[in-house]
PDB file of all heavy atoms in Angstrom:
ATOM      1  N   ALA A   1       0.830  -1.211  -0.003  1.00 98.00           N
ATOM      2  CA  ALA A   1      -0.004   0.004   0.002  1.00 98.00           C
ATOM      3  C   ALA A   1       0.863   1.260   0.001  1.00 98.00           C
ATOM      4  O   ALA A   1       0.575   2.217  -0.717  1.00 98.00           O
ATOM      5  CB  ALA A   1      -0.935  -0.012   1.199  1.00 98.00           C
ATOM      6  N   ALA A   2       1.935   1.252   0.793  1.00 98.00           N
ATOM      7  CA  ALA A   2       2.819   2.417   0.841  1.00 98.00           C
ATOM      8  C   ALA A   2       3.514   2.624  -0.501  1.00 98.00           C
ATOM      9  O   ALA A   2       3.663   3.767  -0.969  1.00 98.00           O
ATOM     10  CB  ALA A   2       3.851   2.249   1.959  1.00 98.00           C
ATOM     11  N   LYS A   3       3.917   1.541  -1.139  1.00 98.00           N
ATOM     12  CA  LYS A   3       4.556   1.651  -2.450  1.00 98.00           C
ATOM     13  C   LYS A   3       3.575   2.187  -3.485  1.00 98.00           C
ATOM     14  O   LYS A   3       3.912   3.090  -4.264  1.00 98.00           O
ATOM     15  CB  LYS A   3       5.085   0.283  -2.890  1.00 98.00           C
ATOM     16  CG  LYS A   3       5.799   0.298  -4.216  1.00 98.00           C
ATOM     17  CD  LYS A   3       6.349  -1.076  -4.563  1.00 98.00           C
ATOM     18  CE  LYS A   3       7.048  -1.031  -5.925  1.00 98.00           C
ATOM     19  NZ  LYS A   3       7.550  -2.360  -6.306  1.00 98.00           N
ATOM     20  N   ARG A   4       2.358   1.654  -3.484  1.00 98.00           N
ATOM     21  CA  ARG A   4       1.336   2.091  -4.433  1.00 98.00           C
ATOM     22  C   ARG A   4       1.015   3.578  -4.255  1.00 98.00           C
ATOM     23  O   ARG A   4       0.692   4.274  -5.205  1.00 98.00           O
ATOM     24  CB  ARG A   4       0.072   1.262  -4.222  1.00 98.00           C
ATOM     25  CG  ARG A   4      -1.110   1.760  -5.003  1.00 98.00           C
ATOM     26  CD  ARG A   4      -2.373   0.961  -4.675  1.00 98.00           C
ATOM     27  NE  ARG A   4      -2.993   0.624  -5.920  1.00 98.00           N
ATOM     28  CZ  ARG A   4      -3.417  -0.559  -6.282  1.00 98.00           C
ATOM     29  NH1 ARG A   4      -3.334  -1.573  -5.468  1.00 98.00           N
ATOM     30  NH2 ARG A   4      -3.958  -0.746  -7.444  1.00 98.00           N
ATOM     31  N   ASN A   5       1.110   4.078  -3.030  1.00 98.00           N
ATOM     32  CA  ASN A   5       0.738   5.455  -2.708  1.00 98.00           C
ATOM     33  C   ASN A   5       1.933   6.308  -2.296  1.00 98.00           C
ATOM     34  O   ASN A   5       1.814   7.240  -1.509  1.00 98.00           O
ATOM     35  CB  ASN A   5      -0.318   5.435  -1.590  1.00 98.00           C
ATOM     36  CG  ASN A   5      -1.614   4.830  -2.075  1.00 98.00           C
ATOM     37  OD1 ASN A   5      -2.371   5.461  -2.787  1.00 98.00           O
ATOM     38  ND2 ASN A   5      -1.856   3.571  -1.702  1.00 98.00           N
ATOM     39  N   ALA A   6       3.098   5.994  -2.867  1.00 98.00           N
ATOM     40  CA  ALA A   6       4.347   6.663  -2.479  1.00 98.00           C
ATOM     41  C   ALA A   6       4.274   8.184  -2.620  1.00 98.00           C
ATOM     42  O   ALA A   6       4.806   8.916  -1.777  1.00 98.00           O
ATOM     43  CB  ALA A   6       5.512   6.114  -3.307  1.00 98.00           C
ATOM     44  N   ALA A   7       3.601   8.678  -3.640  1.00 98.00           N
ATOM     45  CA  ALA A   7       3.507  10.133  -3.822  1.00 98.00           C
ATOM     46  C   ALA A   7       2.774  10.778  -2.651  1.00 98.00           C
ATOM     47  O   ALA A   7       3.156  11.870  -2.192  1.00 98.00           O
ATOM     48  CB  ALA A   7       2.795  10.464  -5.134  1.00 98.00           C
ATOM     49  N   PHE A   8       1.729  10.117  -2.138  1.00 98.00           N
ATOM     50  CA  PHE A   8       0.975  10.669  -1.005  1.00 98.00           C
ATOM     51  C   PHE A   8       1.757  10.550   0.301  1.00 98.00           C
ATOM     52  O   PHE A   8       1.654  11.410   1.169  1.00 98.00           O
ATOM     53  CB  PHE A   8      -0.390   9.985  -0.871  1.00 98.00           C
ATOM     54  CG  PHE A   8      -1.282  10.215  -2.062  1.00 98.00           C
ATOM     55  CD1 PHE A   8      -1.795   9.136  -2.763  1.00 98.00           C
ATOM     56  CD2 PHE A   8      -1.615  11.486  -2.479  1.00 98.00           C
ATOM     57  CE1 PHE A   8      -2.635   9.330  -3.858  1.00 98.00           C
ATOM     58  CE2 PHE A   8      -2.449  11.699  -3.564  1.00 98.00           C
ATOM     59  CZ  PHE A   8      -2.955  10.627  -4.263  1.00 98.00           C
ATOM     60  N   VAL A   9       2.567   9.509   0.429  1.00 98.00           N
ATOM     61  CA  VAL A   9       3.443   9.362   1.581  1.00 98.00           C
ATOM     62  C   VAL A   9       4.492  10.465   1.542  1.00 98.00           C
ATOM     63  O   VAL A   9       4.741  11.151   2.540  1.00 98.00           O
ATOM     64  CB  VAL A   9       4.117   7.969   1.616  1.00 98.00           C
ATOM     65  CG1 VAL A   9       5.176   7.899   2.715  1.00 98.00           C
ATOM     66  CG2 VAL A   9       3.065   6.883   1.810  1.00 98.00           C
ATOM     67  N   ASP A  10       5.097  10.671   0.372  1.00 98.00           N
ATOM     68  CA  ASP A  10       6.149  11.660   0.216  1.00 98.00           C
ATOM     69  C   ASP A  10       5.679  13.072   0.511  1.00 98.00           C
ATOM     70  O   ASP A  10       6.438  13.880   1.052  1.00 98.00           O
ATOM     71  CB  ASP A  10       6.757  11.604  -1.195  1.00 98.00           C
ATOM     72  CG  ASP A  10       7.538  10.325  -1.446  1.00 98.00           C
ATOM     73  OD1 ASP A  10       7.867   9.608  -0.469  1.00 98.00           O
ATOM     74  OD2 ASP A  10       7.827  10.032  -2.626  1.00 98.00           O
ATOM     75  N   ASP A  11       4.425  13.385   0.160  1.00 96.00           N
ATOM     76  CA  ASP A  11       3.948  14.760   0.423  1.00 96.00           C
ATOM     77  C   ASP A  11       3.314  14.904   1.804  1.00 96.00           C
ATOM     78  O   ASP A  11       2.777  15.957   2.141  1.00 96.00           O
ATOM     79  CB  ASP A  11       3.024  15.263  -0.691  1.00 96.00           C
ATOM     80  CG  ASP A  11       1.621  14.684  -0.681  1.00 96.00           C
ATOM     81  OD1 ASP A  11       1.232  13.986   0.277  1.00 96.00           O
ATOM     82  OD2 ASP A  11       0.870  14.947  -1.653  1.00 96.00           O
ATOM     83  N   GLY A  12       3.383  13.848   2.617  1.00 96.00           N
ATOM     84  CA  GLY A  12       2.911  13.923   3.993  1.00 96.00           C
ATOM     85  C   GLY A  12       1.406  13.724   4.162  1.00 96.00           C
ATOM     86  O   GLY A  12       0.892  13.858   5.267  1.00 96.00           O
ATOM     87  N   ARG A  13       0.728  13.379   3.105  1.00 96.00           N
ATOM     88  CA  ARG A  13      -0.720  13.190   3.182  1.00 96.00           C
ATOM     89  C   ARG A  13      -1.102  11.817   3.725  1.00 96.00           C
ATOM     90  O   ARG A  13      -2.179  11.654   4.284  1.00 96.00           O
ATOM     91  CB  ARG A  13      -1.327  13.351   1.793  1.00 96.00           C
ATOM     92  CG  ARG A  13      -2.596  14.120   1.771  1.00 96.00           C
ATOM     93  CD  ARG A  13      -3.137  14.342   0.374  1.00 96.00           C
ATOM     94  NE  ARG A  13      -2.128  14.815  -0.551  1.00 96.00           N
ATOM     95  CZ  ARG A  13      -2.366  15.110  -1.817  1.00 96.00           C
ATOM     96  NH1 ARG A  13      -3.566  14.978  -2.305  1.00 96.00           N
ATOM     97  NH2 ARG A  13      -1.409  15.541  -2.603  1.00 96.00           N
ATOM     98  N   ALA A  14      -0.232  10.818   3.556  1.00 98.00           N
ATOM     99  CA  ALA A  14      -0.561   9.447   3.940  1.00 98.00           C
ATOM    100  C   ALA A  14       0.525   8.847   4.838  1.00 98.00           C
ATOM    101  O   ALA A  14       1.712   9.088   4.650  1.00 98.00           O
ATOM    102  CB  ALA A  14      -0.740   8.574   2.706  1.00 98.00           C
ATOM    103  N   LEU A  15       0.065   8.035   5.782  1.00 97.00           N
ATOM    104  CA  LEU A  15       0.940   7.299   6.682  1.00 97.00           C
ATOM    105  C   LEU A  15       0.407   5.873   6.779  1.00 97.00           C
ATOM    106  O   LEU A  15      -0.790   5.678   7.013  1.00 97.00           O
ATOM    107  CB  LEU A  15       0.946   7.946   8.065  1.00 97.00           C
ATOM    108  CG  LEU A  15       1.702   7.213   9.177  1.00 97.00           C
ATOM    109  CD1 LEU A  15       3.206   7.191   8.880  1.00 97.00           C
ATOM    110  CD2 LEU A  15       1.430   7.878  10.514  1.00 97.00           C
ATOM    111  N   PHE A  16       1.285   4.892   6.595  1.00 98.00           N
ATOM    112  CA  PHE A  16       0.893   3.494   6.659  1.00 98.00           C
ATOM    113  C   PHE A  16       1.551   2.857   7.876  1.00 98.00           C
ATOM    114  O   PHE A  16       2.772   2.948   8.036  1.00 98.00           O
ATOM    115  CB  PHE A  16       1.294   2.763   5.366  1.00 98.00           C
ATOM    116  CG  PHE A  16       0.498   3.249   4.193  1.00 98.00           C
ATOM    117  CD1 PHE A  16       0.929   4.346   3.444  1.00 98.00           C
ATOM    118  CD2 PHE A  16      -0.701   2.649   3.843  1.00 98.00           C
ATOM    119  CE1 PHE A  16       0.188   4.824   2.380  1.00 98.00           C
ATOM    120  CE2 PHE A  16      -1.458   3.118   2.774  1.00 98.00           C
ATOM    121  CZ  PHE A  16      -1.012   4.201   2.037  1.00 98.00           C
ATOM    122  N   VAL A  17       0.740   2.236   8.739  1.00 97.00           N
ATOM    123  CA  VAL A  17       1.200   1.714  10.027  1.00 97.00           C
ATOM    124  C   VAL A  17       0.945   0.211  10.102  1.00 97.00           C
ATOM    125  O   VAL A  17      -0.194  -0.232   9.926  1.00 97.00           O
ATOM    126  CB  VAL A  17       0.456   2.419  11.196  1.00 97.00           C
ATOM    127  CG1 VAL A  17       0.912   1.860  12.536  1.00 97.00           C
ATOM    128  CG2 VAL A  17       0.656   3.932  11.125  1.00 97.00           C
ATOM    129  N   HIS A  18       2.014  -0.534  10.368  1.00 97.00           N
ATOM    130  CA  HIS A  18       1.882  -1.981  10.527  1.00 97.00           C
ATOM    131  C   HIS A  18       1.430  -2.256  11.957  1.00 97.00           C
ATOM    132  O   HIS A  18       2.221  -2.208  12.905  1.00 97.00           O
ATOM    133  CB  HIS A  18       3.233  -2.659  10.237  1.00 97.00           C
ATOM    134  CG  HIS A  18       3.211  -4.120  10.476  1.00 97.00           C
ATOM    135  ND1 HIS A  18       4.277  -4.792  11.037  1.00 97.00           N
ATOM    136  CD2 HIS A  18       2.260  -5.056  10.265  1.00 97.00           C
ATOM    137  CE1 HIS A  18       3.981  -6.057  11.135  1.00 97.00           C
ATOM    138  NE2 HIS A  18       2.753  -6.250  10.682  1.00 97.00           N
ATOM    139  N   ALA A  19       0.134  -2.511  12.114  1.00 95.00           N
ATOM    140  CA  ALA A  19      -0.455  -2.819  13.434  1.00 95.00           C
ATOM    141  C   ALA A  19      -1.862  -3.339  13.238  1.00 95.00           C
ATOM    142  O   ALA A  19      -2.573  -2.916  12.326  1.00 95.00           O
ATOM    143  CB  ALA A  19      -0.495  -1.566  14.311  1.00 95.00           C
ATOM    144  N   GLY A  20      -2.243  -4.242  14.100  1.00 91.00           N
ATOM    145  CA  GLY A  20      -3.620  -4.681  14.128  1.00 91.00           C
ATOM    146  C   GLY A  20      -4.487  -3.649  14.833  1.00 91.00           C
ATOM    147  O   GLY A  20      -3.988  -2.830  15.623  1.00 91.00           O
ATOM    148  N   MET A  21      -5.752  -3.681  14.571  1.00 91.00           N
ATOM    149  CA  MET A  21      -6.693  -2.729  15.144  1.00 91.00           C
ATOM    150  C   MET A  21      -6.662  -2.744  16.683  1.00 91.00           C
ATOM    151  O   MET A  21      -6.708  -1.694  17.313  1.00 91.00           O
ATOM    152  CB  MET A  21      -8.079  -3.058  14.625  1.00 91.00           C
ATOM    153  CG  MET A  21      -9.176  -2.185  15.108  1.00 91.00           C
ATOM    154  SD  MET A  21     -10.706  -2.752  14.332  1.00 91.00           S
ATOM    155  CE  MET A  21     -11.862  -1.729  15.171  1.00 91.00           C
ATOM    156  N   GLU A  22      -6.571  -3.925  17.251  1.00 90.00           N
ATOM    157  CA  GLU A  22      -6.610  -4.042  18.711  1.00 90.00           C
ATOM    158  C   GLU A  22      -5.371  -3.455  19.380  1.00 90.00           C
ATOM    159  O   GLU A  22      -5.460  -2.901  20.468  1.00 90.00           O
ATOM    160  CB  GLU A  22      -6.747  -5.512  19.125  1.00 90.00           C
ATOM    161  CG  GLU A  22      -7.998  -6.186  18.635  1.00 90.00           C
ATOM    162  CD  GLU A  22      -7.850  -6.868  17.281  1.00 90.00           C
ATOM    163  OE1 GLU A  22      -6.929  -6.524  16.499  1.00 90.00           O
ATOM    164  OE2 GLU A  22      -8.654  -7.745  16.974  1.00 90.00           O
ATOM    165  N   ALA A  23      -4.219  -3.580  18.733  1.00 90.00           N
ATOM    166  CA  ALA A  23      -2.953  -3.167  19.344  1.00 90.00           C
ATOM    167  C   ALA A  23      -2.456  -1.797  18.886  1.00 90.00           C
ATOM    168  O   ALA A  23      -1.490  -1.286  19.442  1.00 90.00           O
ATOM    169  CB  ALA A  23      -1.889  -4.220  19.062  1.00 90.00           C
ATOM    170  N   ALA A  24      -3.072  -1.221  17.900  1.00 92.00           N
ATOM    171  CA  ALA A  24      -2.574   0.039  17.330  1.00 92.00           C
ATOM    172  C   ALA A  24      -2.569   1.164  18.358  1.00 92.00           C
ATOM    173  O   ALA A  24      -3.541   1.346  19.079  1.00 92.00           O
ATOM    174  CB  ALA A  24      -3.426   0.439  16.137  1.00 92.00           C
ATOM    175  N   GLU A  25      -1.478   1.884  18.388  1.00 91.00           N
ATOM    176  CA  GLU A  25      -1.344   3.057  19.249  1.00 91.00           C
ATOM    177  C   GLU A  25      -1.185   4.274  18.358  1.00 91.00           C
ATOM    178  O   GLU A  25      -0.181   4.401  17.665  1.00 91.00           O
ATOM    179  CB  GLU A  25      -0.136   2.907  20.174  1.00 91.00           C
ATOM    180  CG  GLU A  25      -0.381   1.995  21.353  1.00 91.00           C
ATOM    181  CD  GLU A  25      -1.490   2.474  22.272  1.00 91.00           C
ATOM    182  OE1 GLU A  25      -1.676   3.698  22.424  1.00 91.00           O
ATOM    183  OE2 GLU A  25      -2.200   1.623  22.838  1.00 91.00           O
ATOM    184  N   LEU A  26      -2.169   5.130  18.360  1.00 93.00           N
ATOM    185  CA  LEU A  26      -2.120   6.325  17.510  1.00 93.00           C
ATOM    186  C   LEU A  26      -2.047   7.596  18.336  1.00 93.00           C
ATOM    187  O   LEU A  26      -2.310   8.691  17.827  1.00 93.00           O
ATOM    188  CB  LEU A  26      -3.344   6.340  16.588  1.00 93.00           C
ATOM    189  CG  LEU A  26      -3.457   5.146  15.638  1.00 93.00           C
ATOM    190  CD1 LEU A  26      -4.758   5.203  14.848  1.00 93.00           C
ATOM    191  CD2 LEU A  26      -2.261   5.076  14.710  1.00 93.00           C
ATOM    192  N   GLY A  27      -1.696   7.458  19.603  1.00 92.00           N
ATOM    193  CA  GLY A  27      -1.552   8.630  20.457  1.00 92.00           C
ATOM    194  C   GLY A  27      -2.845   9.419  20.544  1.00 92.00           C
ATOM    195  O   GLY A  27      -3.929   8.853  20.702  1.00 92.00           O
ATOM    196  N   ARG A  28      -2.728  10.715  20.391  1.00 94.00           N
ATOM    197  CA  ARG A  28      -3.900  11.602  20.486  1.00 94.00           C
ATOM    198  C   ARG A  28      -4.588  11.836  19.145  1.00 94.00           C
ATOM    199  O   ARG A  28      -5.495  12.652  19.060  1.00 94.00           O
ATOM    200  CB  ARG A  28      -3.486  12.941  21.074  1.00 94.00           C
ATOM    201  CG  ARG A  28      -3.021  12.833  22.500  1.00 94.00           C
ATOM    202  CD  ARG A  28      -2.640  14.184  23.027  1.00 94.00           C
ATOM    203  NE  ARG A  28      -2.250  14.070  24.424  1.00 94.00           N
ATOM    204  CZ  ARG A  28      -2.418  15.010  25.301  1.00 94.00           C
ATOM    205  NH1 ARG A  28      -2.961  16.159  24.932  1.00 94.00           N
ATOM    206  NH2 ARG A  28      -2.044  14.835  26.544  1.00 94.00           N
TER     207      ARG A  28
END
């Protein structure tokens, strides 16, 4: 997914996080 959307990652619009829903920590 990150490779497919590299342009959006590069411009700061997208972030891809390896985590399951139950364990994900997204802070505030």
Side-chain angles (χ1 to χ4, degrees):
K3 182 177 179 182
R4 172 184 227 131
N5 293 284
F8 297 123
V9 172
D10 292 345
D11 75 9
R13 222 177 312 182
L15 174 66
F16 293 88
V17 179
H18 176 219
M21 180 179 173
E22 299 91 339
E25 282 299 327
L26 300 176
R28 294 181 178 211

